[in-house]
Amino acid sequence: MRETNSKDDADRAGRYVRQPRGYSAFIPEPLPPVLTITDALTEARDRANLALGRLDSAVETLPHPELFTAMYVRREAVLSSQIEGTQASLDDLVAVEARLRGDQPLGDVNEVLNYTAALRHGLERLQTLPISGRLLREIHAILMRGVRGGHATPGEYRTTQNWIGAAGAGLQNAIFVPPPPEDVAEHVGNLERFLHGDSRLSVIVQIGLAHAQFETIHPFVDGNGRLGRLLITFLLCERKVLSKPVLYVSLTLKKRRQEYYERLQAVRDRGAWEAWLVFFLDCVTEAALDAANLARQILRLREDHRDRVVDAMGARAGKALKVLERLYRDPYMDVNQATALLQVSYANANDIIADMERLGLLREATGNQRNRVFVYEPYLALFREI
């Protein structure tokens, strides 16, 4: 069992303190640590900033970029939830939103739906409320509503000791024990002061420090991983690093999950802040380049499909293009929705949908003869994990 460390480099992140029940909990030092700005860290920071700039430029080339952010949000919600063990896919989420499942239980999809709702709520609230303990609690309440762990005081800091370990592990043999519950509010307050204080560190480095610190505090009984990843997106938008919420690191972290956990633990055990930051910044770079490439693919897809509609649909092309634009926000539509959108008869809307299906733009997803729903399959395919 770890005892309180001597004062050395390992203490830069905090120290393990034995608790009355015999286990040792980690007490984090307030941010920021004194960093050694190595060449590797400088280069990783510069690569990340360059990639973020390219991403922001790529997204701004999209017509009506706000239409496309909804799918970026859905993709992140699925991937972040999968890291926590949910089995829901992007297709599951779209199926539920398009009402394809009828009365079937939603299961893991509820967690993904909550994630999208929490993300959207947080982005809206950032217009009037800075990132703070209050905002984090609001977002957590939405994230955990009616799902696994939802019984564990959604929107409230934990009042019991939690820990991280193998299945069945207890406090005495846990891999990591966060600070005691009575100290959580103080540590979150310290994090909030760091985020809104003066700092000479670059914004992306501050975000890397903040994410690691949040995961170390582990302020809630459940949902800390998902909320910690949301925090990255909120900070990027709040600090105007990105104009749209299109950077999410969950795909990269899912691929490098074991290293992610090891890097975080090395900060706590050895004060390895610099190595953590290089890893985090590399993940940001990879995620930004992935998202920028996705933006370029969306633009090419849109141009190709617009040309296909104009060349093939004659007088109905204008209305078909209106349907196509609507599908970039929500990639599914039934004939009744098309009728309302286009202000035409049901028969005319049905003909337009049928033409788009023949062109390979839409796929009928229900297999039914009535109440059919059509999915914009080529667009949805861009967002599926490769």
Side-chain angles (χ1 to χ4, degrees), residues 75-90 229 248-261 279 283 286-287 384-386:
R75 184 194 196 208
E76 165 63 10
V78 168
L79 291 168
S80 187
S81 298
Q82 286 176 351
I83 290 175
E84 304 303 322
T86 67
Q87 301 302 311
S89 67
L90 182 61
R229 290 185 288 275
Y248 304 103
V249 298
S250 289
L251 178 57
T252 307
L253 294 181
K254 185 181 177 185
K255 294 175 180 176
R256 304 175 67 177
R257 186 184 318 190
Q258 188 58 40
E259 184 180 4
Y260 169 64
Y261 295 142
F279 169 79
C283 289
E286 182 178 337
R384 293 192 183 101
E385 182 187 355
I386 299 173

Side-chain angles (χ1 to χ4, degrees), residues 136 309 335:
L136 291 174
V309 166
V335 177

Side-chain angles (χ1 to χ4, degrees), residues 201-227:
L201 297 171
S202 69
V203 170
I204 192 63
V205 169
Q206 292 178 49
I207 294 173
L209 294 173
H211 174 76
Q213 190 80 336
F214 178 86
E215 296 302 334
T216 291
I217 298 168
H218 237 61
F220 300 100
V221 173
D222 199 1
N224 295 288
R226 279 163 285 176
L227 188 51

Side-chain angles (χ1 to χ4, degrees), residues 2-221:
R2 302 178 182 93
E3 299 287 345
T4 303
N5 296 324
S6 60
K7 189 65 177 176
D8 54 24
D9 284 347
D11 281 0
R12 289 196 303 157
R15 65 193 190 281
Y16 288 94
V17 175
R18 186 172 290 279
Q19 302 300 303
R21 289 176 56 192
Y23 62 88
S24 291
F26 189 79
I27 310 299
E29 287 288 324
L31 298 177
V34 177
L35 294 173
T36 300
I37 308 300
T38 62
D39 289 343
L41 180 53
T42 299
E43 291 166 5
R45 179 201 62 199
D46 292 346
R47 285 195 302 270
N49 283 325
L50 180 61
L52 288 167
R54 288 177 176 172
L55 170 58
D56 210 41
S57 297
V59 171
E60 286 304 314
T61 65
L62 293 171
H64 312 298
E66 65 279 357
L67 293 180
F68 303 91
T69 59
M71 282 302 296
Y72 279 91
V73 167
R74 290 183 178 97
R75 184 194 196 208
E76 165 63 10
V78 168
L79 291 168
S80 187
S81 298
Q82 286 176 351
I83 290 175
E84 304 303 322
T86 67
Q87 301 302 311
S89 67
L90 182 61
D91 293 272
D92 292 331
L93 175 61
V94 169
V96 167
E97 290 183 331
R99 307 179 307 282
L100 303 186
R101 287 195 168 196
D103 296 327
Q104 296 181 44
L106 298 184
D108 285 353
V109 181
N110 269 330
E111 297 191 22
V112 183
L113 290 168
N114 282 4
Y115 193 98
T116 59
L119 202 160
R120 289 169 177 154
H121 175 82
L123 292 170
E124 290 174 4
R125 288 289 277 152
L126 280 177
Q127 305 303 312
T128 56
L129 181 67
I131 292 175
S132 57
R134 174 184 171 186
L135 181 57
L136 291 174
R137 290 193 299 273
E138 284 185 17
I139 296 164
H140 185 263
I142 297 170
L143 192 65
M144 303 307 297
R145 185 172 51 205
V147 298
R148 291 180 301 173
H151 63 283
T153 60
E156 300 294 336
Y157 295 143
R158 57 184 167 86
T159 57
T160 58
Q161 182 67 68
N162 55 0
W163 64 91
I164 298 171
L171 274 167
Q172 304 299 331
N173 55 355
I175 295 172
F176 174 68
V177 181
E182 60 270 18
D183 297 340
V184 165
E186 176 186 354
H187 293 306
V188 174
N190 288 339
L191 176 58
E192 185 177 338
R193 282 187 284 277
F194 165 71
L195 290 173
H196 300 294
D198 295 329
S199 177
R200 296 181 180 180
L201 297 171
S202 69
V203 170
I204 192 63
V205 169
Q206 292 178 49
I207 294 173
L209 294 173
H211 174 76
Q213 190 80 336
F214 178 86
E215 296 302 334
T216 291
I217 298 168
H218 237 61
F220 300 100
V221 173

